[in-house]
Amino acid sequence: MTHIQRMVIGMAVWMAVAACALWIPTAQAEQTRFNYRLKWLFNTSVAGDVFAMENGFFADAGLDVQVREGSPEKDAIKELELGYAHFGVASADQVIRALEKGADVVVLAQVFQINPMQWIYRYPQVQITHPADLKQYHLGVTFGGNDETIMQTLLATADLTLRDVKVTGVRFDFTPFLKNQVDLWPVYRNSQGVILADRLAKEGETVRFLNPADFGVDFVANSIVTSGAMATDYPDLVARFLSALLAAWEAAMDPANQASVLAAVKKYDTGTQGQVQAAQLDVTRTLVKPDPDIPVGRIQTAAWAQTEAIMLDQGLIRTPVHVTSRLRNPVLVQ
């Protein structure tokens, strides 16, 4: 067999595998199987996704959905492009970066109405009433992370840059904050924020959180995405998936269902203590559904536009991608 023949056969095999990965049964099938890739590991921040899986929301819609954990190595948008996933969870900056590279991705719903990325600080030692106050404090920032972009934007509202403040690079170690060597530390409000607040409370310290949205910086977090082809070619299946998922999130955010939600989460996250998970769920509820009248999944068009503008201003993308044209559920758009 020649080298060229081997290449042709190899290409044919690859195309067959790709076709199988992208295959979707017809709507007439008794059940339709989908792969749904989360952004991160199973924990309380994905309570609605876990609740949907464990309480038959997908099955009731005639869908067989495989909910899979995410990680830095398992990017939902890349898996959509490769055909390994049909739906996924991605933050707005991931969507915008992917669009600039030509990805065919659309946004179906916005999980978090308030970005959980915030800064924890001790109060009253630290007091923030205006972004200009940050100049007098020592800040933790993950260089290259979302929080760096958000902090740069927040400082810019006070005509400051990172060069005007004292900054320490953040890694997976809270020691500098716990030892009081850094005043403000970036955390996910509904996960690490709960754990650190509880730890410091036991030591007699009070904490508060700096939420950039309080100062007009709205940077969109996790949202439900799919490919443009999927949304166009299988609108009924997409609608069924989204309806089931959002119904599960609504139920999961209802305090009346807290016990069953925590039981579902505990099945997948066995390493976190029950009382911590309960506190994390309480905080998650305030971020996903901050007002009873706000439907879970509401898309905040203005916040998406601002996120793109921030990324343009910070040089994270070179050209506009018009992300608001990729928001696909007009019933939820605001």
Side-chain angles (χ1 to χ4, degrees):
M1 184 181 295
T2 67
H3 175 68
I4 293 177
Q5 287 174 321
R6 286 195 296 271
M7 288 181 61
V8 171
I9 292 174
M11 182 61 71
V13 171
W14 181 89
M15 291 176 67
V17 171
C20 289
L22 287 166
W23 177 77
I24 300 172
T26 64
Q28 285 72 39
E30 183 178 348
Q31 278 202 324
T32 302
R33 174 168 291 183
F34 292 116
N35 290 327
Y36 173 38
R37 177 66 72 184
L38 301 180
K39 189 173 186 290
W40 196 240
L41 305 178
F42 288 128
N43 56 39
T44 314
S45 66
V46 297
D49 303 308
V50 172
F51 198 65
M53 180 171 47
E54 287 297 301
N55 289 271
F57 283 84
F58 294 129
D60 289 346
L63 307 174
D64 178 7
V65 177
Q66 306 297 309
V67 182
R68 305 178 187 276
E69 288 184 308
S71 71
E73 295 77 31
K74 297 175 182 177
D75 179 88
I77 296 177
K78 289 181 181 178
E79 294 206 354
L80 291 178
E81 293 184 290
L82 292 171
Y84 299 154
H86 303 92
F87 298 97
V89 178
S91 55
D93 65 295
Q94 289 178 307
V95 172
I96 292 168
R97 290 176 192 269
L99 288 174
E100 187 186 38
K101 295 177 181 178
D104 180 26
V105 59
V106 296
V107 179
L108 300 175
Q110 181 179 326
V111 178
F112 286 97
Q113 300 300 304
I114 299 173
N115 196 324
M117 173 54 69
Q118 300 178 18
W119 277 259
I120 188 172
Y121 61 88
R122 293 172 173 83
Y123 181 85
Q125 295 97 312
V126 174
Q127 298 188 45
I128 308 293
T129 59
H130 187 276
D133 297 332
L134 292 168
K135 189 173 183 178
Q136 61 187 300
Y137 299 115
H138 190 168
L139 313 180
V141 170
T142 309
F143 295 115
N146 281 348
D147 57 291
E148 180 186 16
T149 302
I150 296 170
M151 179 54 72
Q152 286 176 326
T153 304
L154 184 60
L155 289 169
T157 65
D159 295 322
L160 299 172
T161 70
L162 286 177
R163 293 187 295 273
D164 298 313
V165 296
K166 188 175 182 180
V167 178
T168 287
V170 168
R171 297 184 180 180
F172 297 106
D173 181 7
F174 299 112
T175 301
F177 177 74
L178 293 173
K179 289 187 174 181
N180 238 331
Q181 297 168 347
V182 178
D183 298 311
L184 292 98
W185 196 262
V187 294
Y188 285 102
R189 176 69 182 84
N190 59 333
S191 54
Q192 306 113 313
V194 171
I195 295 170
L196 287 176
D198 179 67
R199 176 170 175 172
L200 291 176
K202 291 176 180 177
E203 298 174 2
E205 296 189 278
T206 300
V207 302
R208 289 188 178 179
F209 293 88
L210 171 65
N211 178 8
D214 291 339
F215 300 100
V217 178
D218 290 309
F219 198 89
V220 179
N222 295 3
S223 297
I224 311 301
V225 297
T226 190
S227 66
M230 182 77 181
T232 300
D233 296 341
Y234 302 95
D236 176 64
L237 294 178
V238 171
R240 286 160 55 194
F241 170 84
L242 186 61
S243 178
L245 182 60
L246 295 183
W249 268 101
E250 284 284 1
M253 294 299 98
D254 186 342
N257 296 324
Q258 177 149 325
S260 57
V261 173
L262 289 174
V265 171
K266 192 66 177 178
K267 182 176 178 180
Y268 295 90
D269 178 14
T270 59
T272 304
Q273 295 182 343
Q275 67 269 26
V276 173
Q277 289 177 327
Q280 290 175 332
L281 181 59
D282 287 341
V283 176
T284 297
R285 189 179 297 116
T286 67
L287 303 174
V288 173
K289 197 174 177 69
D291 186 285
D293 294 330
I294 296 176
V296 172
R298 179 188 66 168
I299 295 176
Q300 297 172 285
T301 308
W304 279 87
Q306 187 186 67
T307 300
E308 179 178 346
I310 288 171
M311 294 182 70
L312 272 169
D313 183 67
Q314 298 293 338
L316 300 177
I317 55 174
R318 295 183 178 182
T319 58
V321 299
H322 310 292
V323 69
T324 57
S325 69
R326 310 298 289 183
L327 308 180
R328 284 297 180 92
N329 200 326
V331 176
L332 298 174
V333 172
Q334 174 174 308

